C-alpha cells in the first residue's frame, strides 16, 4: 500500500466497507464531533448508524448537492449555519467524501483539494469513503496518490470487496499519528480477525500488477456501454452520464417488471433529491457493473429493455437473462 | 403530577432540559433506532449530541416544515423514503415534537393527534419536548392531559426552568412500563442528585394552585404586547405572530446594535429555513419573554426600537434599558 | 478556585458527584482505555456504570487493598498482569483515587505522590474523586494544592454537596489542555444547567473564608467523637479509627434494629473485603457525620447504643432520637 | 444449524469470535445491565472492551473460581453482594460462560444447568462463549442440544475459526425473539459482509457430516497426547489435566527459551489466580492443539522438552521443529 500510494502510511485491513468507514471515522472524531457529508452518503444513509456507534455518538450533518456531490459553497454555508447557533452545537471535526460517490459521480482532483482546504482551515480532517476508489482513480486518470493525500485526504477507506475481493477493505491513515490507537479500536469492534493472513492475501493480490485498476477500468467501461445502450431505448431516461460503474435511469414500472422477470437484479433507488423527479408509473433504478460483467450480458439486458419497451410485451421465459448460475446484471453488493 | 395530568404516570425530576429530553429519548429508543423530528428541533440542533449520547448512537432524522412544525405529509414522506432504502437503515422508533416549538409555534391538539396516530401506526412512540409546554397549554386553552397523552404523547419532558423554576424539569411516562429501568438510566447519567428534595420542592411549588399556567400566561401575553409594539416599528418585520413566549423579527443591523447598546440581551437566530430570507444589512432576532418580564420593560424596548429606527441615532447612555440589575429584556435561558 | 488551589486551572460546575466523576473520567480516557481504581471505589461500585457511559465504554479495573486504599505494589502488579496478556487488552489510561475514600480512609501526600508517579510513568493520568476532599485536606493538615496537583493529581472532582452545598461539585483540570472540549462534553451530557449562576453561588459561598474547611473539620471531629463513644459500647466493634467523617462498626443485628427504631438513619455496608468478617447475627454499618451533626445528637446516639447494648431492651418510643424534623444522625447523602 | 441443534433458532454469521461474543451480549443486555462472568473470561480479559462497546457501556463483573470456572456458590455470593449495595448498581442481566473455557476446562451439563437455573431465577439470561464449543461437546460426549439450550443456554456464540474455519462464527439465539433487531445490530457494527455466501459456505462445510466434531475430537486427543508426554518431562509441571485442546504447564524459563529457539510458538500466560503459583525462574505456558496438529509434531515437541530438560543444552539449529512452513505446535489463534 505504501508503494501504491507513494507515501508513508498506516494501513489496517477489515472485512467490510461499513467497518472501514466507521472505524476510520471513529479514529478521527470524538463523540462530541460533527461529521459533514452529503445527505445521501453511504455513511449516513446506508450504514444503520455505524458511524454513530463507532464514534460514540457523533453527529452527522447531511449537505445537499447535485448528483451526490458537495460543493465548496454548500460546505461553507453549512459550517456557517452551524457556527451561528447560539450554543449547544457539536464541533465540526470531519468532512467525509465518497469517491466515486453513491450517484456514480467522481470529484475532480481540484474539487477534492478545494473542499479539503476549507475543511482543514476549519480544523477538520478529511475522510474519503473509497469503496469505489479504484473506479474513481481510473475515471480521473490520475495516480492513487494524486486522488487522495496529495489532494488533502487524511484517511481513506479503500475498498476491494466491490472490485474483485472476497471481503477486504483497508483503512489508510496518511498521517500515521492518527492511527496511534487504531489497533485497539479495531480489536474492540471485533474487526481483528484471528487469521489476518486471509485478508492480507486478498489485498496483496488486489494491488498486484495493477489488477485493481484493470478491474475498475473494465467495470467503468461496461457502465459506459450499458448507458450508451439504454440511451437508445426510448422508454428509459438516463439520469446522468456514468462516470464510474453505476448507471441510473428512470424507466416505466412495466419495463422494470419485465427486466426483473428476465432475471435481472438491481436496486430501485429512492427518488428524492438529488434524484430527478419521476412519474407515478415510473421507477428510478440503479445498475451496477463490476469486474465480472461481460459485454454479452450488457447487450442482452439492453436488448430486452429495447424490445420490451417497444412491444410492451415480454416474449417468453426462454428469453430469461442468465449466464451460468449468475444473474446477468449483477449488482455488486450493497452500495 | 398525576393530579395535574389526570392519569397514572411515572415521573422523574432532573435539573436540565437537555437531560430531560435525552433521558426520555434514551428510555424509548435503542441505539439502532431512528428519531424523527423537525430539522431545527432543539434535540437535534442545540443539545450537542445529547440524544445520540443517551441513546447510544441512535440516528436523528430532521424533517423540514414551516415555522418549525412537522406536518403529517412530511412525516409520511420521510418515513416512506426511509423505508425505500434498499438496506442499511435504522429502525424508526420515535417521533419527537417540541411544544411550543423553537419558532414559538404551537401544534393544535388535532395536529398532535394526527402525527401521533401515524407514528403509532408505524410502531413508533411519541416524545414531546415540553420545555415550553406550559406556554402551549395556555395558548391552546386545553387541559395538560388534552395537550399530551390524550393526543397520543407517550413521554413528555416537562419544563419548569424557563417558566419560574431554578433548575427543574420532569420526565413523564404516560405508559409507566416504559420507565421500568429509568431509575438506573438516570443514575448512570449522573442526573440523580443526592438531595432530590430540592428538585421536588421546585416542582411542587411550580404546579401548586396553577402557578405554572399563570406564569406562562403572563409570558405569552408579554410576547403579544412585544409583537404588537414591534409591528408599529417601520424598520422591524415580524416573522410570525407569536403563539407562545417567543417573538422573531428581522431588523436592520444598525438597530440591533442600538438595542444591544441599550442593554437588551437576546439571540441572533440563524437565517436558514424555516426562517424567512433576510437582507445583508439585516439580522434575524429572537426575543423571549418570561414570567418576570414587565410591561414597562416591553414598552421601553419598543420605544427605543421606534426612536432608533426613526432617527438612526441612539440618544444617550442614560437611555440604557435596565431594571435593577437585570437586563430589561431577558432571554429566558438557552433555548 | 484558582486562589484556593494556588494555580492555573480550568474549572466546571455540575450538580452531582457522579456527574463530576464521570465527566472527569470521560475527558481523560478514550473508549479503549482502562481506568484503575480500588475495587470498592464509588466510580466502579456505586455509579451504575456512569464512567462506562461517559467514556463510551472504557474498562474499569478494580484493585484490592486494605480499607479501600490502593498501594503502589498492588497497582504495579495489576499493571504488570494487564500488560502480560498476550493480546486484546485495553490501554491503561487513568488511575482514579478517592480521597477521603469509601472506607473513610485518607491517602497521605506521600502515598498519592508515589501512586501518581507510577501512573505517570505508565503514561496514565491521575483522577481524584474528591467528594470528601475537604475532609481529607483538614485530616492531612496540608493545603488543597499539596493534597492535589502538587502530589501529582491531574483532575479533581471536588465535592460540595456532602459538605454544606445544595447540589454542587466542581471538575478541576490542573492541566487546562485536558479540558479543551469539556464545555461540549458537559453540554451533551445534559449537565450544563441554564441558570448556572445558582451553581456558581454555591461554590462561591462554599470556598468563602474557609467555610468548606471549617465544615469538614466539624464533620471529622464529630466522627471522632462518635467513634470514641462507640469504642466504649461493648457490643460494638469499630472497624477502623475514623480519619474523615465516616465511622464503620460491626454491631449485633438487635442493636441495629434498636437504633433504627430510635430514628437513626444509616447504611448497612456489604461485608466483603476489605471489610472485616462479621458474624451471622451481626451487621456492618456505616455512619456518616456532616457539617450539621451536633454533639448532642452524637451523644444521644451513643447513649442509646450503650443502653440498648447493655439491657438488650429499648426503653420507649419517647426515646426516639429526633432533632426538629431531621433524623438525629444524618447520613450525608448517598456515598 | 437448526438440524444440528434440534430446535428452532435464529442464527447469524460473523467473521470473528470477539464479534460473535460482543454482538450476542449487546443483543441481550442494556447499557445499564451487568454481565457476570469468570474474572479471566475472554469477554472481559481479551476483547479490549468489545462487550462494553457493543452493549453501550454495560458493566462486567468478574467472579473468581478454580480453573476458570464459576460455581453456583460464587455466583450466588456475587449476586448477593451486588444487591446489597445501598444504591447505584447496574442490573444483573447476563451470565456468560465460556465452554470450553480459557483454562481448557469444561463445565458439566449439570453445572451449566445449575448456573443457568440460578441466573434465570434472578431474571438474567445465559450466554455461552462457544469459541471452543465443539471441543466441549466431544469432551462431554453429549449432543450439541444437551450442551446448550437443554441446559439453559439462551444465546450461543459458536466458533468455527479455531476449529478449521477460515473466519466464521455463528450467533445462535435459542429464543428467536431475542434476535428481533439483530440484523440491525450486526449491520451497524460493520459485521454484515457484502458477500455473506462466503461465511455461509464455511459454516455449511463445518457442520457437514460431523466435520466439526471430528476436528475437535482430533484436537482434544492431541492435547491429551501432549499432556501425557509432558507429564514424563521432570522439569515440566502440568497445571491441570486437559479436558479440551489446551495444555497448561509450568516450565523453567530456560526450557521456554529452548523450545522457542526450536521454532515452537505459544503464549506465556499470566500467572495470577486461578493459575498456580510459579517460581521466579519459571514461566507458565499455554499450548493449543488444533485440527491440524499431527502426532509427529507433538512427539518432536515433547522430545525436545525432554532432552533440553535433561541436558540443559540444546543440540543444534538443525533440531529446529518445523513442519513445512508451519511452526510445529501451532497456537490456534488468540484464545
Amino acid at each position: 500500500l505504501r508503494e501504491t500510494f507513494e507515501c508513508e502510511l498506516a494501513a489496517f485491513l477489515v472485512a467490510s466497507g461499513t467497518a472501514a468507514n466507521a472505524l476510520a471515522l471513529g479514529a478521527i472524531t470524538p463523540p462530541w464531533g460533527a461529521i459533514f457529508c452529503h445527505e445521501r452518503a453511504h455513511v449516513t444513509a446506508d450504514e444503520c448508524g455505524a458511524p454513530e456507534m463507532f464514534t460514540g455518538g457523533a453527529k452527522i450533518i447531511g449537505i445537499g448537492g447535485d448528483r451526490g456531490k458537495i460543493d465548496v459553497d454548500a460546505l461553507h454555508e453549512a459550517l456557517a449555519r452551524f457556527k451561528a447557533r447560539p450554543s449547544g452545537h457539536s464541533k465540526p471535526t470531519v468532512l467525509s467524501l465518497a469517491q466515486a460517490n453513491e450517484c456514480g459521480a467522481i470529484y475532480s482532483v481540484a474539487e477534492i483539494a478545494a473542499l479539503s482546504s476549507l475543511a482543514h482551515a476549519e480544523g477538520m480532517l478529511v475522510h474519503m469513503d473509497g469503496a469505489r476508489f479504484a473506479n474513481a482513480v481510473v475515471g480521473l486518470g490520475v495516480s492513487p496518490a494524486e486522488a487522495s493525500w496529495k489532494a488533502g485526504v487524511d484517511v481513506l477507506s479503500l475498498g476491494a470487496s466491490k472490485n474483485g475481493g472476497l471481503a477486504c477493505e483497508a483503512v489508510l491513515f496518511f498521517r500515521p499519528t492518527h492511527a496511534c490507537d487504531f489497533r485497539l479500536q479495531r480489536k474492540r469492534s471485533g474487526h481483528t480477525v484471528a487469521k489476518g493472513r486471509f485478508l492480507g492475501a486478498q489485498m496483496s493480490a488486489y494491488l498486484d500488477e495493477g489488477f485493481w485498476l484493470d478491474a475498475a477500468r473494465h467495470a467503468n467501461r461496461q457502465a459506459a456501454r450499458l448507458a450508451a445502450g439504454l440511451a437508445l431505448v426510448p422508454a428509459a431516461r438516463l439520469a446522468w452520464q456514468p462516470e464510474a460503474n453505476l448507471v441510473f435511469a428512470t424507466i416505466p414500472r412495466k419495463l422494470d417488471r419485465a427486466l426483473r422477470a428476465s432475471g435481472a437484479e438491481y436496486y430501485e433507488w429512492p427518488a428524492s433529491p438529488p434524484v430527478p423527479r419521476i412519474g407515478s408509473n415510473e421507477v428510478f433504478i440503479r445498475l451496477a457493473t463490476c469486474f465480472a460483467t461481460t459485454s454479452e450480458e450488457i447487450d442482452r439486458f439492453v436488448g430486452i429493455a429495447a424490445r420490451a419497451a417497444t412491444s410492451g410485451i415480454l416474449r417468453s421465459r426462454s428469453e430469461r437473462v442468465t449466464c451460468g448460475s449468475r444473474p446477468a446484471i449483477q449488482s455488486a453488493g450493497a452500495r
Side-chain angles (χ1 to χ4, degrees), chain A residues 211-222:
Chain A
F211 167 83
W212 67 306
L213 298 178
D214 290 343
R217 203 170 285 119
H218 173 81
N220 286 9
R221 208 179 289 131
Q222 298 305 68

Side-chain angles (χ1 to χ4, degrees), chain A residues 215-252:
Chain A
R217 203 170 285 119
H218 173 81
N220 286 9
R221 208 179 289 131
Q222 298 305 68
R225 184 185 190 99
L226 176 56
L230 286 178
L232 301 176
V233 174
R237 296 197 308 281
L238 283 180
W240 306 292
Q241 277 310 313
E243 296 177 13
N245 71 324
L246 297 175
V247 175
F248 293 85
T250 305
I251 59 172

Side-chain angles (χ1 to χ4, degrees), chain A residues 36-37 61-64 70-85 89 92 95 118 122 124:
Chain A
F36 288 71
C37 63
I61 307 296
I63 300 177
I70 298 171
D71 69 23
V72 168
D73 286 349
L75 176 59
H76 196 273
E77 192 187 312
L79 284 165
R81 193 161 57 227
F82 206 71
K83 293 189 293 187
R85 291 302 286 169
H89 245 321
L95 170 67
L118 173 53
E122 296 281 341
M124 302 160 75

